[in-house]
Amino acid sequence: MSLRFRINLLVTALTLLFLAAGVYLMIQEMRGQISEEIEASNRVTAQLMTTVLFSSQMFSRGSLQQSVVQDFLARLGRVRANEIILYDRRGQQVYVSPPSQYKAGRHAPDWFTRLVGPDVPAVPLRADSFTVEIVPDASRSVLDAWDDLLSLAWLAGGFFVLVNGLLYAVVGRAVRPVQSVVQGLARAERGDLSVRLPRYGLPELRAIGEGFNRMLAELQRTVAAERELAENRQLTHLIQTHLEEERRVLARELHDELGQHLTAIRTIAQATANRLADKDPQTREASLTIAASAGQIYDAMHRIIRRLRPMALERMGLADTLREAVAEWQGLYPQLHFDLNLPETLPRLPKTIDFTVDY
């Protein structure tokens, strides 16, 4: 349910509640006014007929008096809020007031008549040989109240439609920027951090738009920095991998190529020294020197290979390589004491980590 629809629904409910309260108060006011009007009219009519009966009794009796009263009623005609009925001594109706010509043929609905119609009893006036009954008739007053209520209902209905139409248009214009905010949030949720909200006229929406734009700008900078950092990490990892591969190739070439030649030189020099042990002592010493130098070069090359890429890592693993390195260091530095504590099994780690730990 949209905000626009909810606002209109709330205003509609409040308007209907206000109209219902107004109609209730108006009906209560109508009921009091009609009751007061009918009672007052009934009292005036009763006083009039009492005076007429008293006056006619002074000059006539019996049927003559009835004729005088009936003639007066015929000349009087209709009393608006009352119906006058004349009964003879046998209780038969001999006269009734003519119907009202005011809004003739129209009547208020029965439910409305029961709602606002007063409960005023008929007033009987008795003479010697006849009876005059004054019956309250509130139908015209009720009809006037009904017409007034209809006029008010049409006016209220037109006002209600007009207000709701204007409110719907005004609210729609007011919340139109909210739709752009929602669209901006949706685009940002899909990953479009370049979206920006315009500068709104309303202070509240302007503050929301500026905060939204600042947030996305900062987020965009953060994402760009993270992307650059990730690219740098990837490049660093690529360079490190390439360096490790170059070290491994160089160490293998040193071990396979130079190591074999040094071993051959050392072997040949040692063999030459052995053959010339008694024949040429000077040459023998030179051969031993060459063999010793070849051995020293071989040991130095082996240390260089270990610094480039420990070859034992590929064959024996990290634990055995560490043990071999400690044994070598102990041989190089006998005055130092090395203590290596390793678990029984080491987890398999990436080659880069293995090399870093061994190095």
Side-chain angles (χ1 to χ4, degrees):
M1 186 182 298
S2 65
L3 177 62
R4 184 180 187 181
F5 181 78
R6 281 185 288 180
I7 292 176
N8 272 88
L9 183 62
L10 177 61
V11 173
T12 299
L14 292 176
T15 303
L16 291 177
L17 182 62
F18 175 77
L19 290 177
V23 169
Y24 174 79
L25 294 176
M26 184 177 181
I27 289 176
Q28 295 298 321
E29 182 68 19
M30 287 178 176
R31 178 185 298 171
Q33 290 179 356
I34 292 174
S35 177
E36 183 177 354
E37 177 186 355
I38 297 303
E39 289 178 357
S41 176
N42 189 257
R43 285 195 301 269
V44 171
T45 304
Q47 291 175 1
L48 173 64
M49 292 308 302
T50 300
T51 303
V52 170
L53 290 178
F54 180 77
S55 300
S56 64
Q57 190 176 10
M58 294 176 61
F59 301 100
S60 59
R61 295 284 183 175
S63 59
L64 181 59
Q65 182 185 6
Q66 178 180 337
S67 298
V68 172
V69 173
Q70 184 174 351
D71 183 63
F72 171 79
L73 292 176
R75 292 194 307 271
L76 178 64
R78 176 78 181 184
V79 180
R80 183 174 184 271
N82 294 276
E83 187 177 59
I84 302 176
I85 304 174
L86 179 63
Y87 296 97
D88 59 13
R89 67 176 61 197
R90 294 188 300 272
Q92 294 181 354
Q93 179 179 307
V94 296
Y95 175 82
V96 63
S97 299
S100 176
Q101 298 302 312
Y102 179 72
K103 296 183 179 180
R106 294 184 56 219
H107 296 278
D110 293 339
W111 64 268
F112 186 74
T113 301
R114 291 191 298 269
L115 188 63
V116 301
D119 186 14
V120 180
V123 178
L125 299 176
R126 303 185 186 278
D128 291 339
S129 61
F130 62 92
T131 303
V132 176
E133 186 178 32
I134 303 173
V135 180
D137 182 12
S139 61
R140 300 303 91 188
S141 298
V142 173
L143 182 58
D144 285 343
W146 174 251
D147 289 341
D148 292 342
L149 185 63
L150 284 180
S151 299
L152 180 62
W154 281 108
L155 180 63
F159 177 76
F160 176 77
V161 172
L162 178 62
V163 168
N164 273 270
L166 291 176
L167 181 64
Y168 189 79
V170 171
V171 172
R173 183 179 180 86
V175 301
R176 189 176 302 163
V178 178
Q179 298 178 355
S180 62
V181 174
V182 174
Q183 293 173 358
L185 289 173
R187 290 178 58 184
E189 184 180 5
R190 291 193 296 268
D192 184 6
L193 301 182
S194 63
V195 62
R196 294 294 184 271
L197 296 179
R199 182 178 177 84
Y200 299 111
L202 292 176
E204 296 81 3
L205 290 179
R206 188 185 308 125
I208 292 176
E210 292 175 354
F212 179 82
N213 292 339
R214 287 195 301 270
M215 179 187 67
L216 282 190
E218 184 63 27
L219 184 60
Q220 194 172 21
R221 287 192 294 269
T222 302
V223 171
E226 291 182 354
R227 184 182 295 113
E228 184 178 359
L229 181 60
E231 292 176 354
N232 291 337
R233 287 176 179 174
Q234 185 176 5
L235 179 60
T236 302
H237 178 71
L238 182 62
I239 294 175
Q240 185 66 29
T241 303
H242 183 70
L243 288 176
E244 291 298 324
E245 182 65 22
E246 289 297 326
R247 285 182 175 185
R248 186 184 66 81
V249 172
L250 182 58
R252 184 174 297 276
E253 288 181 354
L254 286 174
H255 181 272
D256 294 343
E257 299 294 334
L258 186 57
Q260 292 180 4
H261 291 298
L262 289 174
T263 302
I265 292 173
R266 184 177 181 182
T267 302
I268 294 172
Q270 186 66 44
T272 302
N274 292 335
R275 286 197 299 272
L276 299 176
D278 299 330
K279 299 178 181 179
D280 189 354
Q282 187 177 1
T283 302
R284 178 178 179 276
E285 290 296 329
S287 297
L288 290 177
T289 301
I290 293 174
S293 298
Q296 292 176 358
I297 295 174
Y298 184 85
D299 293 337
M301 181 198 68
H302 186 67
R303 288 193 294 272
I304 293 174
I305 290 175
R306 282 194 54 81
R307 295 181 64 85
L308 288 174
R309 178 74 180 180
M311 303 300 295
L313 277 175
E314 299 180 1
R315 300 191 305 270
M316 299 183 297
L318 178 60
D320 292 336
T321 303
L322 290 175
R323 294 188 182 96
E324 182 184 11
V326 169
E328 182 178 354
W329 294 336
Q330 187 68 65
L332 292 175
Y333 308 99
Q335 70 276 13
L336 300 178
H337 175 70
F338 295 92
D339 190 8
L340 178 63
N341 294 318
L342 293 175
E344 295 182 0
T345 57
L346 288 177
R348 296 184 62 86
L349 300 174
K351 292 182 178 180
T352 304
I353 298 179
D354 282 347
F355 173 76
T356 302
V357 172
D358 183 74
Y359 183 76

